[in-house]
Amino acid sequence: MSEKRDYYEVLGVSKDASDGDLKKAFRSLARKHHPDKNPDDSESEHLFKEVQEAYAVLSNPDQRRQYDMFGHDSPGGSPFGPGGFEGVNINLDDLFSGGFDSIFSSMFGGGGGRTRTRRGNDILIRHSVTLEEIHDEGEIELDVEIPSECDSCGGSGAKDPDDSKSCSTCGGQGRVTQQARVGPFVQQVVSDCPHCGGEGRVIKNPCSNCRGEGVKPKSQTLKFTIPAGAEDGTRMRMRGMGEPIRGGMSGDLYIQLETEEHPWFERDGSELIMALPLGYPEMILGTAIELPHIDGKAIKIVIPAGSKPSETIIVSGRGMARRRGRGRGDVTVLLKLFVPSKITKNMKQTLETLRDDFGLPVDNIEKSVREEAKSRRN
Ligand SMILES: [Zn+2]
Ligand SMILES: [Zn+2]
């Protein structure tokens, strides 16, 4: 898969950057990394090409939309083919002078004056996962009902394609310019067209299936990959899968992972922590126990003879996947002494015999207390 940087990141702009923002960011970065200013600097050369390519795509409305939906893995492939973007010669002077606009509009077919793109709402879906499900990277299929493009009108909101007309108030621009008087000044104020709501089009006969909205709830199967060891609250973005909007571009869909509580593990990043209750004989004699584990294989915990309550045993490499770097965290087992709340007459007798055999601490309580304190200090 490609490891190309996100185009918005390359230009250092937000996803809803306007044409003007893009141009400003491009000009400043292109100036900074221009080969003429950085001779024989391969790093700058790379950055310069990266910036050129990002701007070429994002300044083209169709390519930008395509990129927003699919990122670098667009089904149509890179707009520049398998060879990638070769770069174009941009004269340093052009980056400073007024010649820039015309050069770019002819090169990339972009140019100013484009109406602002309307964008649908983002959708957030919460999905709970078990530790088992995030032990390894996993594919998840989720059936959801989300606002989608109306099937009957293809999202246009019009009963018939001819029923959607360019708005006469704004001439299809979606925006109107008004003169506003502020004190002694007359200002030009640009705002959304009140007639079409900024869309640039009006619908005469609305589609009956979606009441002209172009949007209808629809069941969809979302397929996505859960990263191994995902933290609670991890959000994954599916570009352009959010709510569509008539005459604009769809929002994004986010899936937020929420990890379910495990019956006995507590999680701390890649570490798993559990408490293990053991009887007195097991502590003294040692034992080995097996427990079902989140990786599907039983986990074996070896308790050495002479273990004490509150000691820990580490089972290394059986925790959660580490987010950065390789490998897994550990499982930490905290030993607890199991004390039965009820005992039978028989048990009581056995314990009394045991007490006599051990002799401690009733024999010489002061000596025991001293020795315990000494062992703690060492
Ligand atoms: Zn419709
Ligand atoms: Zn209008």
Side-chain angles (χ1 to χ4, degrees):
M1 280 279 131
S2 71
E3 287 180 6
K4 279 168 83 164
R5 282 209 295 157
D6 181 79
Y7 286 148
Y8 292 98
E9 190 190 316
V10 167
L11 293 178
V13 294
S14 67
K15 234 199 117 220
D16 49 16
S18 67
D19 284 355
D21 296 338
L22 288 172
K23 195 177 287 177
K24 222 165 97 187
F26 168 75
R27 290 184 72 151
S28 137
L29 288 166
R31 271 200 292 263
K32 192 172 156 199
H33 302 302
H34 198 281
D36 287 0
K37 280 182 83 183
N38 307 275
D40 300 323
D41 181 347
S42 60
E43 164 96 35
S44 285
E45 193 191 323
H46 170 73
L47 289 169
F48 184 66
K49 278 194 177 161
E50 211 180 24
V51 165
Q52 278 184 307
E53 180 180 331
Y55 183 69
V57 171
L58 298 185
S59 62
N60 177 311
D62 291 338
Q63 289 185 5
R64 182 176 181 176
R65 189 180 148 82
Q66 178 99 338
Y67 177 73
D68 282 334
M69 285 178 74
F70 303 106
H72 289 302
D73 304 317
S74 144
S78 156
F80 306 109
F85 185 74
E86 278 306 308
V88 280
N89 275 324
I90 303 172
N91 201 311
L92 197 53
D93 289 341
D94 292 330
L95 290 174
F96 291 95
S97 73
F100 172 84
D101 277 353
S102 55
I103 285 173
F104 262 83
S105 40
S106 59
M107 252 185 330
F108 299 125
R114 184 161 66 91
T115 49
R116 191 175 46 112
T117 316
R118 283 157 38 104
R119 193 173 171 280
N121 292 322
D122 291 338
I123 298 173
L124 178 71
I125 292 170
R126 291 191 170 84
H127 177 63
S128 70
V129 285
T130 59
L131 289 186
E132 282 84 352
E133 283 172 309
I134 51 170
H135 183 267
D136 297 302
E137 185 181 285
E139 300 285 327
I140 294 268
E141 279 190 16
L142 208 59
D143 292 323
V144 288
E145 197 176 82
I146 48 174
S148 308
E149 215 165 63
C150 169
D151 285 332
S152 311
C153 62
S156 73
K159 196 166 217 153
D160 185 272
D162 295 338
D163 290 339
S164 168
K165 292 249 165 10
S166 183
C167 171
S168 55
T169 308
C170 61
Q173 291 297 301
R175 326 210 58 191
V176 285
T177 309
Q178 285 165 316
Q179 308 266 345
R181 188 169 281 279
V182 184
F185 307 105
V186 176
Q187 259 187 351
Q188 298 244 322
V189 182
V190 180
S191 54
D192 279 352
C193 169
H195 187 222
C196 63
E199 204 180 322
R201 300 193 79 76
V202 279
I203 293 160
K204 220 165 59 193
N205 286 314
C207 164
S208 53
N209 188 36
C210 63
R211 291 184 196 170
E213 286 302 314
V215 179
K216 264 239 118 139
K218 200 161 50 175
S219 333
Q220 298 210 23
T221 306
L222 302 173
K223 286 182 193 167
F224 57 97
T225 306
I226 296 183
E231 290 286 343
D232 191 48
T234 298
R235 275 190 185 185
M236 292 169 301
R237 180 169 69 180
M238 299 173 98
R239 267 205 172 128
M241 291 288 288
E243 196 171 321
I245 190 164
R246 206 180 52 207
M249 63 187 239
S250 302
D252 293 336
L253 184 139
Y254 292 87
I255 293 159
Q256 180 167 315
L257 297 181
E258 291 176 357
T259 39
E260 280 171 33
E261 218 166 76
H262 190 270
W264 59 78
F265 280 128
E266 250 176 71
R267 182 181 177 192
D268 182 14
S270 61
E271 305 292 309
L272 292 176
I273 299 143
M274 64 169 284
L276 177 67
L278 288 172
Y280 190 45
E282 273 81 40
M283 292 262 187
I284 298 172
L285 302 173
T287 185
I289 57 136
E290 286 197 356
L291 268 176
H293 194 51
I294 55 165
D295 55 11
K297 287 174 288 180
I299 195 168
K300 192 172 179 185
I301 305 165
V302 180
I303 296 107
S307 291
K308 295 185 184 71
S310 82
E311 282 183 346
T312 52
I313 292 167
I314 310 285
V315 185
S316 61
R318 297 288 294 273
M320 305 306 292
R322 293 203 178 96
R323 296 295 287 133
R324 268 179 267 279
R326 293 194 178 152
R328 297 188 166 274
D330 300 329
V331 174
T332 301
V333 182
L334 173 70
L335 301 186
K336 293 257 189 189
L337 179 64
F338 171 70
V339 179
S341 44
K342 267 188 194 165
I343 52 169
T344 60
K345 226 177 215 167
N346 203 355
M347 279 162 76
K348 196 178 173 209
Q349 271 174 6
T350 316
L351 285 168
E352 277 166 354
T353 322
L354 271 177
R355 183 178 61 190
D356 293 342
D357 284 346
F358 279 95
L360 278 175
V362 270
D363 230 25
N364 188 339
I365 193 72
E366 193 185 322
K367 187 169 167 245
S368 319
V369 172
R370 277 176 199 277
E371 272 170 11
E372 174 63 28
K374 210 166 129 191
S375 79
R376 269 174 201 270
R377 282 185 200 120
N378 289 337

